[in-house]
Amino acid sequence: MTPTTADLDAMRRALALAEVAASDGDVPVGAVVTDAEGRVIGEGRNLRELTHDPTAHAEVVALRAAAASLGTWHLAGCTLVVTLEPCVMCAGAMLQSRVPRLVFGAWDDKAGAAGSMYDLVRDRRLPHRAEVIAGVLAPESTALLQTFFAPRR
């Protein structure tokens, strides 16, 4: 699958949010939820360090914002755009909110749940699945993560 222009624009916004997360001392992950027309209806960045909340991953923050924006938890027709492949928790939240489309940048070989470690978002045993477009602006996403983690290793 090929990303749309709206996907690329949303990924650029997610990258900017990831940079803010890094400046706050959190892992640089940003996420954006777009509606069927490609308009941003929710965005988020990792806030675990700021909020001391283990569930404050960028995807969860963005999904909550999108649900509040639409006035419903049911995000059918939306797309989740995130700089890093979602973990199991975030993939589950995406499926629970009925988001049918995922666009992400960097693969997460340690905790990814959209094709690397697991493929939760496309698991046929589950009642909801999503289309996945991986590797969108991956070099930029990967560079942010490598820069963040280099002094920590």
Side-chain angles (χ1 to χ4, degrees):
M1 293 281 165
T2 305
T4 66
T5 300
D7 294 336
L8 293 169
D9 291 343
M11 183 61 78
R12 287 184 191 96
R13 176 64 187 146
L15 285 163
L17 291 164
E19 289 178 6
V20 175
S23 70
D24 289 339
D26 216 322
V27 177
V29 178
V32 171
V33 177
T34 59
D35 66 12
E37 287 76 41
R39 294 181 297 244
V40 174
I41 58 168
E43 58 182 40
R45 65 181 193 275
N46 272 357
L47 294 172
R48 292 180 310 164
E49 297 299 329
L50 284 177
T51 63
H52 310 291
D53 177 356
T55 69
H57 288 207
E59 300 94 325
V60 172
V61 173
L63 289 168
R64 287 176 179 158
S69 174
L70 294 179
T72 181
W73 62 268
H74 199 264
L75 302 179
C78 294
T79 298
L80 174 63
V81 180
V82 60
T83 58
L84 179 64
E85 178 186 6
C87 69
V88 171
M89 177 184 70
C90 294
M94 181 188 146
L95 294 176
Q96 287 296 318
S97 62
R98 309 299 193 262
V99 172
R101 196 163 172 272
L102 169 66
V103 175
F104 72 86
W107 290 94
D108 185 350
D109 294 333
K110 294 180 181 173
S116 60
M117 286 285 294
Y118 309 99
D119 200 355
L120 191 64
V121 298
R122 293 180 286 201
D123 192 321
R124 294 198 174 274
R125 296 170 293 181
L126 298 173
H128 304 284
R129 286 170 292 288
E131 172 189 359
V132 176
I133 300 172
V136 176
L137 301 182
E140 292 89 334
S141 296
T142 301
L144 274 175
L145 292 160
Q146 288 173 338
T147 300
F148 179 81
F149 283 113
R152 290 164 175 80
R153 292 195 168 133

